[in-house]
Amino acid sequence: MKRLMLITLIIVITIGVFSLYSWGADLKIAMLLPGPISDQGWNMMAHNALKAAEKEFSAEIAYTERTPVSDFEEIFRGYAQAGFNIIMGHGFQFGDVAKKVAQEFPKTIFIVSSSDISQAPNLASFRTMDAQAGFIQGVVAALLTETNKVAYIGGMEIPPTINQNRGFRAGVKYINPSIEVISTFTGSFYDVAKAKEMAKAMAQKGVDIIVPDADVANLGVVEAAEEEDIKIIGCSTDMAEVSPDITITSLLEDFSKAFTTVVDYVLEGKFESRAYEMGVQEGALDLAPFRKYEEKVSKEDMAKINQVLDDLKSGKIDIAKYLED
Amino acid sequence: MGKIVKKKKEKTYLINPFYDMQKIIIPVIAIFLSLTIGAIIIRAIGADPLLAYKILFKGAFGSINSIGEILVKATPLILTGLSFAFAFRAGLFNIGAEGQLYMGGFFATLVGIYLKGLPMIIHLPLVIIAAFIGGGLWGLFAGWLKVKFEANEIITTVMLNYVAMLWVSYLVTGPMKAPPGTFPQSEPVAISAQLPRILPPTRVHLGLIIALICVVLYYIFFRKMILGYETRITGKNMDASKYAGINSERIMLFIMFISGGMAGLAGASEILGVQARLLADFSPGYGFSGIVVSLVGMNSPLGIFLTAILFGILKSGGNLMQMIARVPVAVIYIIEGLVVIFVLAGQGIRLKIKYLINLK
Amino acid sequence: MIVSDFITHFIAADLRTATPILFAALGELYMERSGIINIGLEGFMLIGALTGSISSYFFNSALLGVIMAALVSGVLGLIYAFFVVTIKANQVATGIAINIFSLGLTTTIYRAFMGVNTSHPNIASFKNISIPLLSKIPIFGQSIFNQTALVYLALMLVPFTYYFLYKTSIGLKIRAAGEYPQATDTAGVNVFQIRYGAIIGGSMLVGVGGAYLSLGLLNMFTENMVAGRGFIALAAVIFGKWNPWGVLGAALFFGFGDALAIRLQVMGSSIPYQFLLMLPYIFTVAVLAGVVGKAFSPTALGIPYNKE
């Protein structure tokens, strides 16, 4: 028992010593990420945005990757207590907890990406219009398919992938209702091998264009495309950098721009606790150059694609009308 | 090995006056070694190990809130640790706490959402009992397979983990999904079914008290009750227990139910105390950590409690290390893994030395 | 699409997905037969996958990648053996610790070598080898005899393992160590040595299974890429009733389930994918419950051996 007390004493002294230590800086931005920053997709995108903000606003940055659901609240609170001014949860799933913690720290700005929640005075959300992104991909796929079979491979069935898929189906039907659209979900953003097998199975079914929207697992679709007769239309980042031969184009999601725009609002005092939505109008979504496929797309098709982009920008096309339930 | 330790306890004591000290020294040395190796890795990837460890400690004990976080994390670990320990004492390896935890969470959510309009004083006990039964039945199933078909429980419980986790994943994307929006989660459980926070402003909730009561019950069961004694006999030597007229099959079924029930309570503690709704992946492996907690704590009530606190510190401080000192979570996994490996090594070497001493 | 093409592709897909499970399960089989239950397969496979990928990158040879993967996994196996055999640490807890540790270690090392933001480099990987004559057999030729060398190796390991375990004296000793360690020891066999050997050899196979993921099935390493296959392999050993031929059947069956589940989804089936993913585990439990005949685990499985 004596020894136990001795140990307790040592611990108490240690606490005392280390409690003297503390932090301090100006603009401090933190992010909670659901997965690893090296995923070539969703989390890397946010990590890049964080890096961009670090450069642009000379902010101090920090992030937590692979955040377990059970730790959301603790980590939000931890960053807030450590004096971070802007804290972002990367994904709708952070919404509930952000609402709760935001009330305790009214001076800290809380942001949730890929969500539509808000709470006065300090919680906002922003998202790129996933359905719009999918719609544009659908238009491109429908114009360029030769077999009249196109496909979407999502990771887990969550709002961003569900909406992207709905948009994709709508985009295809907008051009040609007789094209067959196959939609699947691998159930995981990590299982590369499964995504590859799925893409191969699609190739055997005659699909010639796939939209891979499964984060890390997209790499599996890329490998399948390199082996089979499939082309892909990338999501979020320019997949031509990964595999130029099979990438027709990519739907670029300028997450950094969307994020720094919100940070800018905060710095200029224009921040409102609302749901910011960003699409082609705001420059948060755009089509990547067609690169190797520039020549292979006919003038009429290219004109049609640009027409759709313009109509989306001007609001002439209302995607909601084309979405299936 | 346990036999030798017991039989020659007095003798060992004479040879080595620090017999009980070793129990504490081993984890301390293990942690020290792990942190040292961790420091080298942190250095190698270009972060500052000293800062990292300052933050680890500050994160653990820096404020009332951070001490609260340790307890929040320790709560399910105490329960899953007890879950494993109950079965282990009966000679059973229940690796299925993770699945039983999910089933407990599932039952708790069912009763928490769909039984409406009850006062908390009735509703809360009902959800907790439901969680116990949910986890207990899942454990009992593995026990029944063992008794009836001699199915190795290590394997069945591992397999049933996956079934339970996938089942919950199915529920929250399908039948139990909250109607508005398309988020894969259930509706929140009624306020009357949520575990109230007991030490505001921290997140410490009533689950901690439940866990502590379970620790006491565990002690009473094995130290004061005949059934507990019989369980230990069964665990030590099943044939001997038969000669002693103990119905070891019934004991196994009973223990697997209790063991599963404890894990189910851990699920309830997470769902009713932290998340307030059912989600896929709501446990970051508490069930697996519980096995380690129990073994490192050498299955003693106090040991399990202290080890759960230790793991709470590691997890909570690890979070802060990542947040402030920019130590990647991967390095924290390495340190966690090393702590376990070194504690196991320490215990092993201790027994080995004792064994060699006893041979003479 | 022609039906025979479908079958060809289906069998090929089945073999591809079954191979990593088969390697890992055969490795586990040696260990379990000697009385050791290693639930750290997931970690061993990750280490194998990473070692394979990095070695192949530096030596520009997929073959050296696999050899290195086997060696490094073997060393890890030696450490594991020291824990569970020599100092009798709890096998389950050690396995869990290895899984946590490996996930952290592989991620850290991979990022240190390859960085976070760069796209995946070109790594020498295994190419399909078409076996003359045999690959001309209709339907089965292109599916079975046009695979990577590792697939053939995995298939050949099955009869080898059977022969080794049942027809050689070392095999007999391994099985005896897993059933009656006391008696085996009395008969003058060093149970410790046998278990060490089974663990190290088995670990090497598990590591090769991991390397197949990063060099055969795919051409890259990604964090946590094993994605539960280690536990499926564990299931395959039991589903195969601790017999190499049974293990082959189990691996093919799980691969079949996987390939079928994927095709069902592509065809627009509405069965929730969670139920399809559950099947291997449910089947395994069913086997243990004697639904398909009785299965007995090695008597001393999971119990450390004490010389008394």
Side-chain angles (χ1 to χ4, degrees):
Chain A
M1 219 45 216
K2 232 180 202 169
R3 293 189 182 87
L4 205 69
M5 281 169 69
L6 186 76
I7 287 166
T8 321
L9 190 70
I10 293 170
I11 292 172
V12 170
I13 293 171
T14 330
I15 305 166
V17 173
F18 287 125
S19 302
L20 297 173
Y21 184 82
S22 79
W23 311 281
D26 290 358
L27 177 62
K28 292 169 61 164
I29 308 174
M31 277 190 185
L32 283 73
L33 310 172
I37 54 168
S38 55
D39 65 353
Q40 308 286 323
W42 181 247
N43 298 287
M44 191 176 108
M45 190 166 84
H47 184 239
N48 288 343
L50 191 61
K51 290 270 183 204
E54 180 184 31
K55 234 169 129 185
E56 199 172 326
F57 309 108
S58 49
E60 189 186 329
I61 58 160
Y63 62 89
T64 298
E65 52 180 335
R66 289 183 194 271
T67 318
V69 185
S70 54
D71 290 357
F72 285 180
E73 188 174 338
E74 178 195 355
I75 292 171
F76 262 123
R77 190 171 288 124
Y79 278 127
Q81 279 168 347
F84 281 82
N85 326 71
I86 301 176
I87 306 168
M88 188 190 94
H90 191 38
F92 67 90
Q93 64 268 45
F94 293 92
D96 273 5
V97 176
K99 277 186 177 173
K100 200 161 159 189
V101 182
Q103 291 171 347
E104 298 167 28
F105 300 91
K107 285 184 184 148
T108 310
I109 303 289
F110 290 83
I111 301 170
V112 179
S113 64
S114 175
S115 169
D116 56 1
I117 60 161
S118 63
Q119 179 177 284
N122 60 335
L123 171 63
S125 64
F126 73 97
R127 59 174 172 173
T128 48
M129 298 173 182
D130 299 310
Q132 195 183 57
F135 189 86
I136 299 167
Q137 290 172 314
V139 167
V140 177
L143 288 170
L144 300 182
T145 176
E146 285 162 13
T147 58
N148 276 359
K149 278 185 189 168
V150 296
Y152 168 90
I153 299 183
M156 284 171 72
E157 238 177 311
I158 56 172
T161 54
I162 291 169
N163 289 331
Q164 186 117 359
N165 177 42
R166 289 176 73 209
F168 177 69
R169 300 186 75 91
V172 173
K173 301 286 174 214
Y174 176 78
I175 296 294
N176 181 357
S178 70
I179 292 176
E180 188 184 339
V181 189
I182 299 172
S183 302
T184 56
F185 294 89
T186 62
S188 153
F189 287 114
Y190 300 100
D191 200 335
V192 190
K194 186 157 184 205
K196 181 171 180 180
E197 284 302 327
M198 210 167 242
K200 284 199 152 194
M202 285 176 169
Q204 285 140 31
K205 231 189 151 230
V207 169
D208 66 343
I209 297 179
I210 297 180
V211 169
D213 189 14
D215 213 39
V216 191
N218 285 346
L219 295 169
V221 181
V222 168
E223 283 208 357
E226 284 167 354
E227 291 165 22
E228 309 279 341
D229 197 14
I230 318 172
K231 311 279 174 281
I232 64 161
I233 300 172
C235 285
S236 309
T237 53
D238 192 349
M239 291 303 272
E241 286 171 11
V242 179
S243 184
D245 290 336
I246 50 112
T247 308
I248 297 175
T249 178
S250 298
L251 197 284
L252 298 180
E253 196 175 318
D254 196 341
F255 191 84
S256 297
K257 170 138 191 187
F259 179 66
T260 49
T261 308
V262 179
V263 175
D264 226 18
Y265 289 153
V266 175
L267 292 177
E268 290 171 6
K270 286 197 293 188
F271 174 84
E272 293 168 52
S273 54
R274 68 180 184 89
Y276 295 97
E277 250 198 327
M278 309 198 185
V280 281
Q281 294 95 327
E282 292 79 9
L285 292 178
D286 201 3
L287 263 187
F290 280 64
R291 302 190 201 277
K292 289 203 169 177
Y293 285 82
E294 191 79 56
E295 316 271 284
K296 295 176 192 160
V297 183
S298 72
K299 282 216 174 79
E300 301 86 71
D301 287 347
M302 199 55 109
K304 182 78 197 166
I305 292 168
N306 287 326
Q307 167 90 49
V308 168
L309 284 175
D310 287 341
D311 287 351
L312 285 171
K313 273 180 200 157
S314 66
K316 211 165 138 193
I317 298 180
D318 178 15
I319 291 178
K321 273 198 295 195
Y322 301 95
L323 293 180
E324 306 167 7
D325 296 315
Chain B
M1 55 186 172
K3 211 162 46 190
I4 297 167
V5 178
K6 275 272 158 328
K7 215 164 41 188
K8 309 258 174 93
K9 190 167 179 179
E10 281 77 8
K11 192 178 161 194
T12 318
Y13 222 100
L14 289 177
I15 296 167
N16 187 349
F18 294 111
Y19 175 77
D20 278 331
M21 251 324 260
Q22 291 171 338
K23 285 188 183 172
I24 299 169
I25 281 178
I26 289 170
V28 171
I29 295 176
I31 292 164
F32 180 76
L33 282 176
S34 316
L35 290 182
T36 312
I37 296 180
I40 296 168
I41 298 171
I42 292 171
R43 179 87 263 179
I45 58 161
D48 179 358
L50 210 63
L51 173 71
Y53 289 150
K54 272 181 191 167
I55 285 164
L56 175 68
F57 282 100
K58 189 183 160 78
F61 309 106
S63 67
I64 296 294
N65 256 326
S66 54
I67 294 173
E69 283 306 321
I70 295 173
L71 295 175
V72 171
K73 292 210 156 45
T75 303
L77 290 177
I78 294 171
L79 289 164
T80 51
L82 288 175
S83 162
F84 183 82
F86 259 106
F88 190 78
R89 284 282 179 98
L92 295 165
F93 278 97
N94 177 14
I95 313 297
E98 188 77 0
Q100 290 144 13
L101 181 153
Y102 273 86
M103 282 317 214
F106 159 52
F107 271 54
T109 322
L110 273 187
V111 178
I113 294 178
Y114 301 110
L115 264 187
K116 290 193 176 85
L118 293 173
M120 181 178 263
I121 193 107
I122 299 171
H123 202 179
L124 197 52
L126 277 182
V127 273
I128 291 167
I129 292 168
F132 191 90
I133 292 176
L137 288 179
W138 206 238
L140 184 63
F141 181 52
W144 176 74
L145 289 170
K146 166 98 177 172
V147 168
K148 178 96 186 178
F149 303 105
E150 295 174 45
N152 185 323
E153 77 283 2
I154 300 182
I155 293 151
T156 52
T157 48
V158 166
M159 299 301 134
L160 290 174
N161 279 340
Y162 281 95
V163 176
M165 282 149 74
L166 288 165
W167 168 244
V168 167
S169 161
Y170 161 70
L171 288 175
V172 295
T173 48
M176 282 179 82
K177 185 155 83 177
T182 39
F183 302 161
Q185 58 188 23
S186 77
E187 286 180 62
V189 295
I191 297 288
S192 54
Q194 293 184 13
L195 292 165
R197 298 197 170 173
I198 51 174
L199 289 172
T202 71
R203 293 201 293 156
V204 178
H205 53 80
L206 196 63
L208 179 66
I209 305 295
I210 297 174
L212 292 178
I213 293 173
C214 289
V215 173
V216 175
L217 288 178
Y218 175 81
Y219 173 80
I220 294 173
F221 179 77
F222 282 110
R223 287 292 153 200
K224 308 283 178 207
M225 287 172 66
I226 293 170
L227 190 58
Y229 177 70
E230 290 181 347
T231 304
R232 283 190 293 151
I233 301 278
T234 308
K236 284 234 169 64
N237 190 333
M238 200 172 298
D239 295 328
S241 71
K242 280 196 184 113
Y243 287 119
I246 298 170
N247 186 338
S248 56
E249 294 194 343
R250 269 179 47 196
I251 284 187
M252 272 197 235
L253 290 175
F254 172 75
I255 285 293
M256 279 307 284
F257 181 72
I258 300 292
S259 172
M262 289 285 157
L265 288 182
S269 137
E270 272 302 283
I271 294 291
L272 308 173
V274 180
Q275 312 286 3
R277 57 168 96 229
L278 194 63
L279 299 151
D281 303 327
F282 71 83
S283 156
Y286 282 133
F288 294 109
S289 304
I291 299 166
V292 176
V293 165
S294 166
L295 290 169
V296 171
M298 305 184 94
N299 301 308
S300 84
L302 186 66
I304 289 172
F305 174 74
L306 290 178
T307 315
I309 299 280
L310 167 70
F311 273 69
I313 294 172
L314 273 181
K315 284 187 189 299
S316 194
N319 275 340
L320 215 64
M321 253 161 78
Q322 202 192 351
M323 288 155 67
I324 311 298
R326 285 120 177 98
V327 175
V329 67
V331 175
I332 296 158
Y333 292 154
I334 296 182
I335 297 175
E336 267 183 36
L338 283 176
V339 171
V340 179
I341 289 173
F342 284 133
V343 170
L344 292 170
Q347 288 176 356
I349 289 168
R350 188 175 74 100
L351 288 176
K352 186 100 190 161
I353 292 170
K354 187 168 308 188
Y355 171 73
L356 290 176
I357 290 170
N358 283 326
L359 273 187
K360 282 173 194 163
Chain C
M1 193 178 52
I2 315 158
V3 177
S4 67
D5 270 9
F6 179 82
I7 296 172
T8 303
H9 288 305
F10 194 91
I11 296 173
D14 183 3
L15 266 180
R16 282 196 302 267
T17 40
T19 299
I21 297 167
L22 182 56
F23 270 118
L26 286 175
E28 175 79 10
L29 178 65
Y30 282 99
M31 301 189 230
E32 290 201 10
R33 274 298 193 172
S34 80
I36 302 289
I37 183 160
N38 181 354
I39 69 166
L41 293 184
E42 197 85 0
F44 278 86
M45 286 178 85
L46 266 178
I47 299 267
L50 178 74
T51 314
S53 186
I54 288 186
S55 310
S56 171
Y57 177 66
F58 280 106
F59 302 128
N60 200 23
S61 152
L63 183 64
L64 270 176
V66 168
I67 293 172
M68 287 301 290
L71 287 179
V72 172
S73 311
V75 172
L76 186 65
L78 176 69
I79 298 169
Y80 177 78
F82 173 75
F83 273 86
V84 300
V85 177
T86 304
I87 61 177
K88 302 180 185 62
N90 184 284
Q91 295 172 14
V92 170
T94 313
I96 291 172
I98 285 188
N99 283 341
I100 305 171
F101 175 75
S102 304
L103 178 59
L105 189 72
T106 50
T107 303
T108 308
I109 293 178
Y110 179 72
R111 286 187 187 177
F113 270 98
M114 304 294 183
V116 173
N117 273 351
T118 48
S119 58
H120 293 262
N122 246 336
I123 293 172
S125 65
F126 285 91
K127 298 279 173 288
N128 284 12
I129 300 170
S130 202
I131 296 179
L133 291 179
L134 286 176
S135 60
K136 298 282 185 294
I137 301 171
I139 300 179
F140 298 104
Q142 278 303 308
S143 50
I144 300 174
F145 299 108
N146 182 20
Q147 295 276 6
T148 60
L150 287 178
V151 176
Y152 302 133
L153 176 65
L155 292 175
M156 284 186 297
L157 273 170
V158 176
F160 172 80
T161 303
Y162 181 80
Y163 176 81
F164 187 81
L165 281 178
Y166 291 91
K167 308 284 176 197
T168 66
S169 67
I170 304 178
L172 176 67
K173 286 173 188 166
I174 290 178
R175 287 185 292 131
E179 296 289 344
Y180 314 104
Q182 243 80 24
T184 312
D185 201 5
T186 316
V189 177
N190 188 333
V191 174
F192 290 167
Q193 263 177 24
I194 290 291
R195 287 190 171 175
Y196 258 91
I199 291 173
I200 293 170
S203 302
M204 291 170 87
L205 288 185
V206 180
V208 172
Y212 173 76
L213 280 177
S214 65
L215 293 174
L217 191 58
L218 296 161
N219 186 14
M220 67 188 119
F221 177 84
T222 56
E223 290 164 28
N224 203 11
M225 74 183 301
V226 177
R229 286 181 181 79
F231 284 101
I232 295 270
L234 194 64
V237 176
I238 300 120
F239 196 47
K241 299 182 181 176
W242 289 274
N243 174 309
W245 292 107
V247 168
L248 171 67
L252 286 175
F253 184 69
F254 292 162
F256 174 87
D258 228 24
L260 182 70
I262 286 166
R263 275 158 184 77
L264 277 176
Q265 254 203 308
V266 172
M267 287 170 190
S269 149
S270 59
I271 304 169
Y273 69 83
Q274 289 96 341
F275 288 130
L276 299 172
L277 294 182
M278 266 184 215
L279 289 179
Y281 308 112
I282 292 177
F283 281 132
T284 306
V285 171
V287 166
L288 283 169
V291 175
V292 232
K294 197 78 201 82
F296 288 104
S297 59
T299 320
L301 189 61
I303 305 164
Y305 175 60
N306 279 307
K307 237 177 171 162
E308 295 207 38

